[in-house]
Amino acid sequence: MFSKKNSDITSLIKNLEKTRFDPLDFLPPGDLVEKMINLVIMGVPPVGPAKVTAALSDLEGALAQVDTSALNVVVFGGGTGLSNVIGGDSRIPLWPRSPFKGMKDTFPNTRSVVCVTDDGGSTGEFFKELPIIALGDLRHVLLSSIRRQNLLKQYSLSEEEAYLTAGNLHSLFNYRYSQRPASAEELIELSCVSPESMPHILRQALRDLLENIFLDERLNAQLDHRHCLGNLLLAAAIFKNLSPAEKNFDSAIIKGLRVLAEIIGAEPDSVLPCTTTPAQLKILYTNGVLVTGENKSAYAQRGYPVDRVFVEFDDTPHVPDEVMASIAQADIILFAPGSLFTSIIPILRVPGIARAIRANNKALKILVANLWIQKGETDIASDDPRRRFYVSDLVKAYHRNIPGGVHGLFHQVLTLRLQDIPGSVLQNYAVEGKVPIYLDNDRVREMGLTPFEARIFSQNALDERKVIQHDPESLATTVKTIWAARSYLSNGSAKNLPGCEDNEKLIINPGHETPNLRYAKIIHLLSGLDLDSEVRDSICRILWNHQDIPVSHLQNIRGVKLIDDDLWKRSQEWDNIFSFYDPDDGVIKIRQDIFDKPERFEVAFLVALGQSLLGNYAAKKEMLQLDEESENLGKIFQLTVRDQSSWNCYFTAQELDIYLRLARMIRSAKNPSLYTRLVNGYEGFTPPGLLFGLTYGWYLDNRFAAHIEYKMAIKHTEISDLIPEQVRVYDRRQAIIDFFREVVFRYDPSLYESGRTSSKHL
């Protein structure tokens, strides 16, 4: 027994003596490039023979010394993710501590191409009165782009003064005033920037821009809105380059960005819009609902994955020459992390941009994957809503939404090493409903892409704010290392992916109607209705927030009246909706107590607005008892449709007929104006007018009509052809959604593909 054991040990030692270790084996697991990345970020492991650590130290030093000063880099993205990559998230209070790190420091010739379809907050206020692109994300990225060397040179500052100036710019750009300011000087003082803490030339240049807001009639009204001061500065710089008679903003936007960039110490043309043409997002969910607006998609909880994202331009889109030239000259093209459907994809739907990226065959192209799922966007996988979201799902979403798919857009995918995050942190995030996007290495490689995992999160952010986010310096270092190791990369082409949209489909607003023109129409129309001022303001806000509502939907409304609770006589036999459209006088009537509850008032108004589209279509409505041998078997609801010559219905006779049949009304063969519906003994019943109003509110925001959400729950069910009735109900629900998308809200099915046809209406 002893000799056998001794023999085993001897053989094991001989095997160990034959083993030859590669110094790279001391680094965390991964392929060669991943090992190089982690060596640069995490340093040489503290364990190992001196000869090994020395060799690794030499490699680390050589990678750090790679010269990237002459490389041309283009980074695509939206506000927060892009600004964080460029130079740190410039909106957070701690940003002034290290404002000069990130891609702009490692790669001085970096240009950001920014998504401009945001429509919320301060940007949304601009849209009410000005035909301009979204400024918020441009301002956000612009501040993150300031460089220490420029401040030192332009204003003859010391290192300490450069940091102090960055902090002052941070305060100024992020200050949001609560009431109309009296002067430019007051704005600067309110932002907590003291005269002695900012170079006089810089302060004067900023004050000149702010004074222009007070002097320019086109901008003066903006002082009544609660704007972020950085947005006002950018608007002032743009309008300073736009004559009062000029309507084309294309060159003024680029010049304005260039002027403000130079003033604050960023590189000229370091921040560019993907287009200078105003545009809006259209989000199509897998259940067929199509809604407008990036801001709206952020808080909507549809319960269905996003299927497609479209961009509707107010005119033929213009891409700045500087953007196309930057793409053509780029050595590195980077897609920043951020909102999947509302930051990267909209840029790549601007005609010409995706094509230009593919045409650049020499550039290193990297997609930086998001860290966390995003509610309403990446919380549900499109092919299986029950499972968690993976990096491959991100890639498939890009492929599905970008003309030509992901072919030639990026070859590498950079992700966070989840094993580097403490388990307790992940647990805390999970409690808050935040779940990581998981890397499925094998699946991504099957797609022809190379995934890299790296420790690219900010340890400082984790220690100080208990958050996990990309670290600008680590990310820039990682990109630099991948560039240095590019000879070891295999740039294969994307493969094993489903079909994609082949052609660039240009969608232009039919009336070339910018949001400010729509807002002006709303104001004009409401001014002619019988409304008190408070109700008018609330309705104006509702109509503005729901960009899908065309002004023509208000054609049958003569006013909105609040009815005292004691005088509310409307029967609640079928519902507890305290609003209705009265076709006799064309007035929407809402119970008084609802007005004090903004969300309930919004529901009440939208339901009644939907009902108003039917107008006075009903000549007669009655509910008849159905008796058989003295037993009540149910009821028969009868609806007689008014002669078309005397109605004010929004729809044609054919469209109304389609809707009534979808509402399960049966048209009489003998009397085409008569529709009936059998209601069994204890069965509930929603009259077609109320059903229309509820569905109208649900379509715009499904939080607003739980009754309809309940009816639509079958859309979540796996349908079996073993139960024909289930199939019929499913198809009818889908047909109702299609009817509202294509007929009620007039979206052309040939432009906004849903994979369905209008024949389902029947």
Side-chain angles (χ1 to χ4, degrees):
M1 187 72 176
F2 175 80
S3 60
K4 186 177 187 303
K5 185 176 182 181
N6 188 57
S7 174
D8 289 342
I9 292 174
T10 301
S11 63
L12 289 173
I13 291 175
K14 287 181 178 179
N15 288 335
L16 287 173
E17 288 175 341
K18 295 177 182 178
T19 303
R20 293 293 181 267
F21 288 99
D22 187 322
L24 293 171
D25 292 335
F26 285 85
L27 299 175
D31 66 14
L32 177 59
V33 177
E34 280 180 311
K35 288 178 178 291
M36 295 167 72
I37 293 170
N38 285 296
L39 171 64
V40 174
I41 292 178
M42 302 172 68
V44 178
V47 297
K51 185 179 293 187
V52 169
T53 56
L56 292 176
S57 182
D58 289 344
L59 177 58
E60 179 188 15
L63 291 170
Q65 293 300 314
V66 171
D67 183 13
T68 56
S69 61
L71 295 179
N72 295 312
V73 179
V74 177
V75 188
F76 296 94
T80 301
L82 178 55
S83 69
N84 192 42
V85 166
I86 295 300
D89 184 353
S90 59
R91 290 187 302 184
I92 63 174
L94 297 177
W95 179 78
R97 288 189 186 179
S98 54
F100 303 123
K101 296 180 179 179
M103 291 292 292
K104 67 182 179 187
D105 185 49
T106 305
F107 302 93
N109 296 330
T110 294
R111 285 186 171 181
S112 302
V113 177
V114 185
C115 181
V116 291
T117 53
D118 182 24
D119 58 357
S122 174
T123 293
E125 295 301 314
F126 277 113
F127 285 172
K128 290 179 179 179
E129 291 155 4
L130 299 173
I132 198 169
I133 60 174
L135 301 181
D137 286 352
L138 289 166
R139 174 263 308 168
H140 193 179
V141 178
L142 194 61
L143 181 57
S144 294
S145 302
I146 64 173
R147 301 190 66 227
R148 180 180 64 244
Q149 295 89 331
N150 292 0
L151 291 176
L152 295 176
K153 182 178 179 181
Q154 284 176 233
Y155 301 111
S156 302
L157 303 179
S158 65
E159 288 281 339
E160 182 180 351
E161 289 170 333
Y163 276 87
L164 183 60
T165 298
N168 283 326
L169 288 170
H170 173 267
S171 298
L172 191 71
F173 267 60
N174 290 304
Y175 174 68
R176 192 182 296 268
Y177 53 87
S178 57
Q179 58 185 12
R180 184 183 176 94
S183 66
E185 193 61 37
E186 179 185 315
L187 272 175
I188 295 176
E189 291 175 0
L190 288 172
S191 67
C192 299
V193 177
S194 58
E196 65 277 3
S197 63
M198 182 179 284
H200 175 73
I201 299 175
L202 172 58
R203 181 185 176 90
Q204 186 61 47
L206 294 171
R207 185 169 58 188
D208 289 345
L209 284 178
L210 291 175
E211 285 180 348
N212 194 53
I213 298 169
F214 289 83
L215 298 173
D216 193 323
E217 292 182 359
R218 298 167 296 179
L219 290 176
N220 188 273
Q222 296 301 316
L223 294 167
D224 293 321
H225 302 294
R226 294 185 66 241
H227 278 301
C228 184
L229 193 50
N231 290 350
L232 275 182
L233 284 166
L234 181 52
I238 291 170
F239 276 82
K240 195 171 183 178
N241 289 279
L242 189 73
S243 67
E246 191 175 355
K247 302 297 182 183
N248 190 328
F249 281 75
D250 295 340
S251 62
I253 289 172
I254 300 303
K255 290 177 182 177
L257 280 163
R258 187 177 297 145
V259 166
L260 190 54
E262 290 178 336
I263 288 174
I264 66 174
E267 295 292 334
D269 294 336
S270 59
V271 179
L272 298 166
C274 61
T275 178
T276 51
T277 305
Q280 289 182 298
L281 283 188
K282 304 283 185 178
I283 297 97
L284 178 67
Y285 295 89
T286 54
N287 67 342
V289 171
L290 179 72
V291 295
T292 299
E294 177 177 330
N295 186 53
K296 189 172 182 178
S297 74
Y299 63 75
Q301 300 297 317
R302 284 285 166 186
Y304 293 87
V306 173
D307 179 31
R308 304 287 299 280
V309 174
F310 303 91
V311 179
E312 182 184 79
F313 300 93
D314 293 330
D315 209 331
T316 304
H318 172 75
V319 180
D321 293 340
E322 292 82 356
V323 170
M324 301 305 281
S326 296
I327 295 172
Q329 297 163 9
D331 299 297
I332 299 175
I333 293 175
L334 194 70
F335 296 93
S339 300
L340 167 65
F341 294 107
T342 58
S343 61
I344 298 295
I345 289 175
I347 295 176
L348 297 174
R349 290 200 71 94
V350 177
I353 289 184
R355 208 177 332 122
I357 295 171
R358 293 190 183 97
N360 183 340
N361 295 317
K362 66 180 179 63
L364 174 68
K365 302 174 183 179
I366 304 172
L367 168 67
V368 183
N370 296 350
L371 302 182
W372 309 101
I373 65 168
Q374 183 169 348
K375 288 291 184 181
E377 288 198 19
T378 53
D379 49 344
I380 309 175
S382 60
D383 57 353
D384 187 355
R386 296 167 295 183
R387 68 169 173 81
R388 60 191 184 183
F389 206 85
Y390 289 95
V391 171
S392 64
D393 293 311
L394 283 176
V395 175
K396 285 188 287 187
Y398 280 120
H399 187 71
R400 188 171 65 247
N401 280 278
I402 299 168
V406 298
H407 301 287
L409 294 183
F410 50 82
H411 305 118
Q412 285 77 37
V413 181
L414 183 58
T415 70
L416 176 68
R417 277 169 49 96
L418 286 178
Q419 56 267 44
D420 291 328
I421 302 177
S424 58
V425 174
L426 292 176
Q427 288 178 347
N428 291 337
Y429 266 91
V431 170
E432 299 173 9
K434 296 179 180 178
V435 180
I437 294 179
Y438 295 91
L439 173 61
D440 44 347
N441 255 303
D442 293 342
R443 183 71 188 100
V444 173
R445 290 185 185 280
E446 287 174 6
M447 293 175 168
L449 305 171
T450 304
F452 292 133
E453 287 185 284
R455 196 179 192 277
I456 51 176
F457 71 89
S458 170
Q459 188 63 49
N460 286 338
L462 178 59
D463 294 339
E464 295 177 354
R465 295 184 287 125
K466 308 302 180 187
V467 298
I468 300 291
Q469 66 179 47
H470 289 97
D471 177 60
E473 190 171 17
S474 297
L475 186 53
T477 299
T478 298
V479 175
K480 176 180 177 178
T481 305
I482 297 175
W483 169 261
R486 63 191 181 282
S487 61
Y488 297 98
L489 299 177
S490 173
N491 285 345
S493 59
K495 57 185 180 181
N496 298 326
L497 284 162
C500 64
E501 183 180 338
D502 293 329
N503 302 317
E504 294 178 334
K505 183 178 295 183
L506 182 58
I507 301 175
I508 299 178
N509 186 300
H512 300 281
E513 185 178 78
T514 52
N516 68 302
L517 293 177
R518 177 178 179 272
Y519 188 71
K521 288 181 180 179
I522 291 172
I523 296 295
H524 175 73
L525 191 147
L526 293 182
S527 67
L529 300 184
D530 181 12
L531 300 166
D532 68 38
S533 59
E534 285 189 83
V535 173
R536 179 179 290 108
D537 291 344
S538 294
I539 291 175
C540 183
R541 174 186 57 80
I542 293 169
L543 295 173
W544 174 252
N545 289 340
H546 297 287
Q547 297 287 322
D548 295 287
I549 300 176
V551 178
S552 59
H553 277 194
L554 302 170
Q555 68 183 27
N556 290 334
I557 298 175
R558 301 292 172 264
V560 178
K561 289 187 177 180
L562 302 180
I563 309 298
D564 189 88
D565 305 6
D566 296 334
L567 300 177
W568 185 262
K569 303 300 184 183
R570 185 166 176 81
S571 170
Q572 303 302 136
E573 180 181 359
W574 303 108
D575 64 89
N576 288 311
I577 306 297
F578 297 109
S579 67
F580 67 97
Y581 171 75
D582 190 338
D584 293 334
D585 58 11
V587 173
I588 286 178
K589 295 171 182 177
I590 303 175
R591 209 171 75 173
Q592 175 74 50
D593 61 327
I594 300 299
F595 184 68
D596 298 327
K597 305 173 182 66
E599 187 167 301
R600 289 196 66 187
F601 178 76
E602 186 168 358
V603 176
F605 175 74
L606 290 176
V607 170
L609 176 61
Q611 292 174 332
S612 77
L613 297 183
L614 296 174
N616 63 350
Y617 80 108
K620 184 179 180 181
K621 292 183 285 188
E622 57 183 339
M623 185 71 78
L624 306 176
Q625 296 290 332
L626 179 62
D627 298 323
E628 179 70 26
E629 296 181 356
S630 300
E631 284 195 34
N632 179 250
L633 301 180
K635 300 175 182 179
I636 296 178
F637 177 73
Q638 288 191 339
L639 169 67
T640 302
V641 174
R642 190 182 301 272
D643 183 82
Q644 192 173 358
S645 62
S646 62
W647 74 8
N648 61 359
C649 182
Y650 181 77
F651 306 105
T652 66
Q654 182 182 12
E655 290 170 341
L656 179 63
D657 175 66
I658 290 172
Y659 168 68
L660 291 175
R661 284 189 284 150
L662 288 173
R664 298 178 66 189
M665 302 293 295
I666 299 174
R667 190 175 189 178
S668 169
K670 296 180 179 179
N671 180 5
S673 297
L674 179 65
Y675 291 81
T676 61
R677 164 83 183 273
L678 176 65
V679 183
N680 293 327
Y682 298 103
E683 185 180 274
F685 172 63
T686 305
L690 177 59
L691 177 65
F692 190 96
L694 288 168
T695 307
Y696 186 90
W698 172 86
Y699 186 96
L700 291 168
D701 191 323
N702 66 325
R703 298 174 302 164
F704 288 166
H707 174 68
I708 302 300
E709 183 70 10
Y710 170 77
K711 285 179 174 289
M712 295 298 179
I714 194 171
K715 294 287 296 166
H716 290 288
T717 306
E718 188 172 337
I719 301 301
S720 169
D721 58 7
L722 296 176
I723 308 174
E725 176 58 21
Q726 187 184 45
V727 176
R728 284 193 292 270
V729 172
Y730 183 94
D731 287 346
R732 187 165 58 247
R733 299 285 191 269
Q734 186 61 63
I736 288 175
I737 293 174
D738 293 347
F739 178 85
F740 269 79
R741 184 183 66 252
E742 298 171 11
V743 179
V744 177
F745 293 102
R746 307 296 188 191
Y747 285 125
D748 185 344
S750 68
L751 294 177
Y752 302 98
E753 296 176 1
S754 64
R756 307 176 189 88
T757 63
S758 299
S759 62
K760 279 292 185 75
H761 295 166
L762 304 177

